[in-house]
Amino acid sequence: MNEQQFWMELQKLIYQSEDFSKINQTQWERLISLHTSPALPTKLIIETVCHGSVYLTEQSALNFPAIHPTIPLNASQQLALEMAVSNSAIALIAGSPGTGKTRIAKNLVEAAINCSKRVLLLTHHSTTLNAYCNLPGYPFRISQQQNYRDWLIKELRTQHLAHPKIDYLPLHLLPDEVLTKLRTAAKLEKYLPLIQNNSQQLIELLQQDFPDLGDSRLQLLAYRLQRLKPLLQQQLKLNQLYNNLSENAVAEIADKLIENPQASVVGTVDDFIQIQDPFLWKKSFDLVIVEEAEYLTCFKLILLSTLGNKLVLFGNELPKQFSRISQNQSSRNQSSQNQSFFTRSPECFKWLNQHLLPAYRYQLTEQFRLHPEIANLVYPVICDRWILNQFSQFDCHFPQIRHRLFWQNTRNQRRDEQIIQFIQSFEISLNHKIGIITFERQERDYLRNKLSQRCNEILIGTVSEWTGIEREIVFISFSGHPENVSVKDINIAITRGQSYLFLFGDYDIWSQHSALMRSFLSHPQLHIERTVVLS
């Protein structure tokens, strides 16, 4: 297959794609520019599809310094991070749930922002973005309601410029929470006249605002305020200057920040594809990072590959026997390299993992989430590779429960009742460690209503709401119609419980659902119960 055939097939794919109607003019111009000047990640994909596994001598110019992870990594995860920060065009990091993909991605994003790299971070599920809520700089969360520039102006006006901060204390002193409460302009205007001239009135005023503090603590606070008066005066001056900025001045600052590498962009793939803000599609990123890349279609993969100097993909492969494509169809797809790529949408992540050279991909094979008793039943049915258990000890241990994973064989009409009864056997103090996964919103709402009085801290949600989340004790309600539940949803659900995983459903129905469920429910070590009795 040559490149001309590739472009013909790509054009056909674009016109047939469900996303084609949502492409705006800026996106279309980006696709057209691929013919003459493809980005490095796009070039590597094209070369791999047309000529098989290849190595690009052309490299990106990321040139990261030595990376020191802010979140601890083991040796295997450190190797994956080093591949992600290298100057290669693509880094594909595959691993089953619990192997540390998000941990690596968080280190990568923070390191990139701190090294002044422009970052675009995308996920498939919006809940996965919760792990990135405290990124440094000015992270922009993609929204269909506002464009990038308008959001930045609002963020500056209501947050950063409204509450400028100066670090009062030197590094050798512990943070003072009370002192941080005096950052506002109103507090500073109230305290500054008394700080230097009248110590007694200052202490009396502090007693009024902080009645819970003892005399010694108040005297220490007054002493620190007197020593820090120059900084407090500067803080007040900044507050007054920033709050008096004109709209044009704030807009000018926003335009400067737009070009600042620390203004990263985060969101879901679908929101980014559909957004009508042309600026984001004209922007060039140093790193385009995609979590849950196994959901990408070929069209989305190629479109995203045009946006940056390097593409980093984090994803999970389904085992071959559970692949969406049947064996007969798979063998037909092998008739040409062209078909093996373009007809596998959305399995292009799996295709790349099979065809990219080892220099561009890394496989994680150590899991850190599930207790070994759970992992030994779960991982053999959700991945083809042997996974090493590196389980961190958790506090949850209940001697009266003999099995950490079991299937409670129950009819639909009694399933929710038994889940509620089981949860009520736990102490209320454990509620924050408990979660319930459902496959239907109606059942989710029913359980939330039934447990609202006693269990506000229990996390109850559908599978999509559980992506990127885990709890120590998890209940899964196998409800509804099995034919409406995807294998990927089951994959997510059965890898959320860290210490205990309790499954409730009709065994006869769900054992016929899919190859994955048949394999899982027929596992000789899976304990199946008719009733749940705590003794």
Side-chain angles (χ1 to χ4, degrees):
M1 174 185 184
N2 56 39
E3 293 188 11
Q4 183 178 0
Q5 292 171 323
F6 174 90
W7 292 115
M8 291 175 61
E9 290 298 325
L10 176 60
Q11 188 176 26
K12 184 190 303 183
L13 178 69
I14 291 172
Y15 285 129
Q16 293 174 351
S17 171
E18 296 178 358
D19 301 302
F20 175 69
S21 60
K22 304 169 186 175
I23 294 179
N24 59 41
Q25 182 64 30
T26 310
Q27 294 168 331
W28 186 246
E29 290 172 358
R30 194 122 198 174
L31 285 170
I32 293 175
S33 69
L34 291 182
H35 284 277
T36 55
S37 57
L40 277 180
T42 315
K43 187 175 181 180
L44 178 57
I45 293 173
I46 295 171
E47 292 285 336
T48 304
V49 173
C50 296
H51 309 296
S53 299
V54 297
Y55 183 79
L56 284 185
T57 57
E58 190 177 356
Q59 301 282 301
S60 66
L62 293 177
N63 298 327
F64 274 93
I67 299 298
H68 302 287
T70 56
I71 304 172
L73 300 178
N74 70 348
S76 177
Q77 293 168 338
Q78 181 71 39
L79 287 174
L81 177 61
E82 290 175 2
M83 175 177 285
V85 299
S86 69
N87 286 340
S88 63
I90 291 178
L92 185 149
I93 299 168
S96 298
T99 52
K101 297 186 296 295
T102 298
R103 181 179 290 264
I104 298 167
K106 287 175 68 175
N107 275 303
L108 173 61
V109 175
E110 291 186 10
I113 294 173
N114 290 331
C115 292
S116 298
K117 307 295 183 184
R118 293 180 174 85
V119 176
L120 170 63
L121 169 67
L122 301 174
T123 68
H124 180 75
H125 295 96
S126 58
T127 52
T128 307
L129 292 170
N130 294 336
Y132 302 93
C133 59
N134 294 317
L135 292 179
Y138 301 82
F140 166 59
R141 176 71 180 267
I142 296 170
S143 170
Q144 300 298 319
Q145 282 69 47
Q146 57 187 344
N147 64 36
Y148 188 21
R149 185 174 182 272
D150 291 344
W151 170 85
L152 195 52
I153 291 174
K154 179 181 177 182
E155 190 77 1
L156 285 170
R157 177 61 79 184
T158 60
Q159 298 296 327
H160 302 285
L161 296 180
H163 307 288
K165 295 179 181 179
I166 293 178
D167 291 330
Y168 297 142
L169 296 180
L171 294 177
H172 67 275
L173 292 179
L174 294 174
D176 191 328
E177 294 183 359
V178 178
L179 202 56
T180 60
K181 296 177 181 179
L182 303 177
R183 292 183 183 274
T184 64
K187 291 283 187 183
L188 292 173
E189 290 172 352
K190 180 180 179 181
Y191 277 92
L192 274 172
L194 300 176
I195 285 177
Q196 188 66 32
N197 302 324
N198 197 322
S199 299
Q200 186 56 40
Q201 288 186 14
L202 176 61
I203 292 178
E204 291 175 358
L205 187 58
L206 288 170
Q207 282 179 326
Q208 295 175 12
D209 286 346
F210 306 102
D212 297 333
L213 298 182
D215 291 340
S216 298
R217 182 71 174 88
L218 289 172
Q219 291 176 2
L220 175 62
L221 185 59
Y223 171 76
R224 285 185 171 173
L225 288 174
Q226 289 170 344
R227 295 293 301 271
L228 295 171
K229 182 181 178 182
L231 286 175
L232 297 176
Q233 290 173 329
Q234 185 64 23
Q235 173 78 74
L236 179 60
K237 184 178 180 180
L238 284 176
N239 282 343
Q240 293 169 342
L241 287 174
Y242 288 167
N243 287 325
N244 290 323
L245 285 175
S246 67
E247 291 300 322
N248 289 337
V250 176
E252 186 176 345
I253 294 174
D255 290 335
K256 296 292 184 181
L257 277 176
I258 283 175
E259 300 303 320
N260 188 324
Q262 290 196 320
S264 57
V265 179
V266 300
T268 66
V269 172
D270 286 341
D271 283 343
F272 187 79
I273 296 291
Q274 297 170 19
I275 198 167
Q276 297 300 310
D277 185 356
F279 173 80
L280 287 179
W281 282 96
K282 292 179 179 179
K283 190 176 177 70
S284 180
F285 298 91
D286 295 304
L287 277 172
V288 177
I289 303 167
V290 184
E291 266 220 78
E292 300 166 328
E294 69 271 19
Y295 292 97
L296 287 177
T297 62
C298 293
F299 166 72
K300 291 177 181 177
L301 171 68
I302 293 174
L303 194 56
L304 294 178
S305 73
T306 68
L307 297 172
N309 298 322
K310 178 160 186 174
L311 177 65
V312 184
L313 303 173
F314 293 89
N316 175 39
E317 273 192 8
L318 283 177
K320 293 177 182 177
Q321 62 268 36
F322 306 139
S323 175
R324 181 183 60 84
I325 300 178
S326 67
Q327 295 297 324
N328 290 336
Q329 184 180 354
S330 179
S331 61
R332 289 196 300 270
N333 287 342
Q334 296 303 320
S335 60
S336 73
Q337 270 193 322
N338 173 24
Q339 290 181 332
S340 67
F341 178 75
F342 284 108
T343 64
R344 280 182 173 268
S345 178
E347 294 190 344
C348 54
F349 176 84
K350 182 175 182 178
W351 188 94
L352 281 178
N353 197 21
Q354 292 171 344
H355 290 81
L356 286 175
L357 285 175
Y360 300 110
R361 52 187 170 85
Y362 190 85
Q363 184 72 42
L364 298 167
T365 57
E366 296 175 288
Q367 76 88 18
F368 301 84
R369 179 184 297 164
L370 308 184
H371 188 281
E373 187 177 329
I374 301 174
N376 291 337
L377 274 72
V378 168
Y379 281 105
V381 300
I382 67 169
C383 59
D384 293 323
R385 296 174 176 84
W386 176 73
I387 300 295
L388 177 65
N389 289 320
Q390 299 284 5
F391 178 71
S392 300
Q393 295 299 319
F394 291 91
D395 296 332
C396 284
H397 176 62
F398 307 103
Q400 70 271 30
I401 302 178
R402 294 176 296 171
H403 303 278
R404 290 184 177 272
L405 188 156
F406 65 75
W407 179 279
Q408 173 64 35
N409 193 20
T410 180
R411 299 296 180 184
N412 285 342
Q413 57 268 31
R414 296 202 58 211
R415 183 186 54 256
D416 294 337
E417 176 187 334
Q418 291 187 348
I419 291 176
I420 294 172
Q421 182 180 359
F422 200 131
I423 288 177
Q424 289 174 341
S425 68
F426 290 105
E427 296 180 3
I428 295 179
S429 60
L430 295 173
N431 286 348
H432 69 284
K433 298 182 178 182
I434 299 174
I436 304 176
I437 302 175
T438 70
F439 294 106
E440 291 184 335
R441 292 183 179 180
Q442 182 178 359
E443 184 179 21
R444 175 204 63 186
D445 297 340
Y446 173 80
L447 288 169
R448 284 178 177 176
N449 181 58
K450 285 292 183 181
L451 293 169
S452 61
Q453 297 296 324
R454 179 182 182 273
C455 307
N456 291 329
E457 292 181 312
I458 292 179
L459 177 60
I460 306 174
T462 59
V463 177
S464 62
E465 294 168 333
W466 270 83
T467 306
I469 302 172
E470 61 269 343
R471 285 286 174 96
E472 291 192 44
I473 307 167
V474 169
F475 295 80
I476 303 177
S477 176
F478 284 83
S479 59
H481 303 283
E483 62 273 13
N484 297 330
V485 180
S486 70
V487 170
K488 288 182 178 179
D489 284 344
I490 294 174
N491 188 322
I492 293 172
I494 64 177
T495 55
R496 302 300 107 184
Q498 297 170 301
S499 296
Y500 287 89
L501 183 63
F502 305 128
L503 317 175
F504 291 75
D506 191 318
Y507 180 92
D508 294 333
I509 293 176
W510 284 89
S511 60
Q512 305 302 315
H513 168 262
S514 63
L516 185 148
M517 288 302 293
R518 286 194 297 273
S519 176
F520 182 60
L521 293 179
S522 62
H523 198 291
Q525 296 181 20
L526 177 65
H527 185 75
I528 301 174
E529 294 185 357
R530 293 290 175 182
T531 57
V532 177
V533 178
L534 298 180
S535 57

